Amino acid sequence: MGVPRDCDKMGRQDDILKGLQDWAGQFYGSGATVERLVRLSGGASQETWSLDVEHSGIVDELILRRVPGGVSVARNSEAIDLGTEAKLLGCAEHTVPTPKVLKVFDPSSEIGEAFLMNRIAGQTIARKILRDDVYENARQCLTAQCGKALSGIHAIPIERLPTLPKSGGLDQLAKYETIYRGFDIPRPVFELTMAWLKKNQPQPVDPVLVHGDFRLGNLIVNEHGLAAVLDWELAHLGDPREDIAWLCVNSWRFGQSQNRVGGFGHLNELLDAYEASGGQNFAADQIDWWEILGSLKWGIMCMIMYEAFRSGSDPSVERAAIGRRVSETEIDLLNLLETRA
Amino acid sequence: MHDAPSQKEMIAAVKAFIDDTAMPNLKGHAAFHARVASNVLATVLRELEIRPLAENDERERLSSLLNADQNMTISELNLKLCELLRQGELGLDTPGLLEHLKTTTIAQLSIDQPNYSGLPSD
């Protein structure tokens, strides 16, 4: 079983290397060489490769983002394609710390659908960022930096953006409710939450670019704080409060529940920095509805991952086990709803 | 029927094998999945301990909350609760509802994730 698969893998890596080498020769000149090409993550949605280009005694450190196998297939209907993601990074680079895109590969190229960007040094693992001494100074600055980055994302004029899906809070609620009902696994806390969210809809605000997954894990942090915002594939046009609240969802505080913002900061500080850098003035209680929606969404996402086990499409013990994390979001929802009773 | 070894003993033996023998010999992805497997067995052991009593209490609370027939099973009762919540017949202002859901969820988490940060810290 292993042999044909490994041959296939080697073939792909050789093709990628050759495609990158051809690009480097054109971009930097004929002496340039591609070194240390290594696959970093086996992300379900996109491949990430690390590589260095050596030219005239200089080393450029790069990242290749690539559709698995180089060919995009219909997957998460919400996720944008890689070409759109590359365009978004270009739109965001003046107002948000992001990697710089150097080259977008055509889906018909040797490499397949992919883009190259510069590699930014730092940490993405939440538990290290929240606990290691080396990030103590970073933790002090991170809340204000995230407020500024979020206002930078939300300020990008819509007319400059590539075509993106539109998704407001009620659209998302309807979508996740349909998924939940399809599983036929009744959960009273989710029923209470969905009924409450429908009954207490917030006043709509003008749609903006929403990152869609702004949280530790998708942020590069160095000893000075926020170095880059990654993983834009859930970007859409929607409500700015969605991004602010998603960062507050208890699941993304990684055990540091006392700090509402990502396990490291306080919401008022984030909202002050957001407004000071040009964002709208939101009060803390305007974030609550969106945080409740966020916890519900994450709970149903855990059910989706468990469903992959139940249906047999991914029989791993890990997919089975994640079904027993849904109750985490139930206690989070009850803690949030209790203050509204 | 015999219970030597008991369910608990058999699961504990498999968990000890994973922890002490299999895991140290595995690397990368396989080692990760072995750790998850060991955690799943720990969940099963907690469930054997906690669930019978917790589920019995849940059933009694549901019966009185819904004023329901004593013969209804726990899944029928929960289905009924879900319907009433969905229709808005019951909600946050229903006396006893939040307390019931909280007690049930805390019992569930004491099996699923007993160290979760969202649990009350008393």
Side-chain angles (χ1 to χ4, degrees), chain A residues 154 158 161 164-169 171-172 204-212 234-243 274 280 282 290:
Chain A
H154 300 160
I158 285 181
L161 299 170
L164 292 170
K166 291 189 181 69
S167 180
D171 301 323
Q172 292 174 28
V205 299
D206 288 337
V208 298
L209 170 64
V210 175
H211 178 279
L234 294 177
H236 57 271
L237 300 180
D239 193 301
R241 292 168 291 187
E242 181 191 336
D243 269 341
Y274 182 82
Q280 294 179 64
F282 291 125
W290 294 90

Side-chain angles (χ1 to χ4, degrees), chain B residues 7 22 25 36 44 46 48 51 54 56 58-59 67 70 85 88 94 101-102 118:
Chain B
Q7 263 182 338
N25 284 299
V36 178
V44 175
R46 287 192 297 270
L48 287 171
R51 186 167 184 137
N56 195 48
E58 182 187 358
R59 220 189 72 81
N67 214 353
Q70 287 299 315
L85 287 166
T94 306
L101 292 175
K102 217 163 172 181

Side-chain angles (χ1 to χ4, degrees), chain A residues 230-272:
Chain A
L230 305 175
D231 290 307
W232 292 69
E233 63 181 17
L234 294 177
H236 57 271
L237 300 180
D239 193 301
R241 292 168 291 187
E242 181 191 336
D243 269 341
I244 297 169
W246 187 242
L247 184 59
C248 295
V249 166
N250 192 38
S251 305
W252 308 132
R253 296 182 212 165
F254 299 92
Q256 307 290 105
S257 283
Q258 69 283 11
N259 299 322
R260 188 172 175 187
V261 174
F264 52 82
H266 296 288
L267 182 56
N268 284 330
E269 188 188 347
L270 182 92
L271 293 173
D272 287 348

Side-chain angles (χ1 to χ4, degrees), chain A residues 45-48 63-68 72 75 78-93 98-105 113-117 156 160-165 209-211 213 218 229-236:
Chain A
S45 44
Q46 308 294 6
E47 295 176 2
T48 304
I63 290 284
L64 179 75
R65 288 265 283 166
R66 178 173 180 264
V67 166
S72 99
R75 37 193 179 87
E78 265 182 305
I80 59 174
D81 62 47
L82 265 185
T84 308
E85 191 178 339
K87 279 184 200 144
L88 268 183
L89 286 170
C91 294
E93 70 179 5
T98 47
K100 193 166 174 56
V101 176
L102 300 176
K103 165 77 182 173
V104 179
F105 292 96
E113 189 175 343
F115 68 83
L116 272 173
M117 58 190 182
I156 300 170
R160 261 193 244 157
L161 299 170
T163 306
L164 292 170
L209 170 64
V210 175
H211 178 279
D213 204 6
N218 293 335
V229 180
L230 305 175
D231 290 307
W232 292 69
E233 63 181 17
L234 294 177
H236 57 271

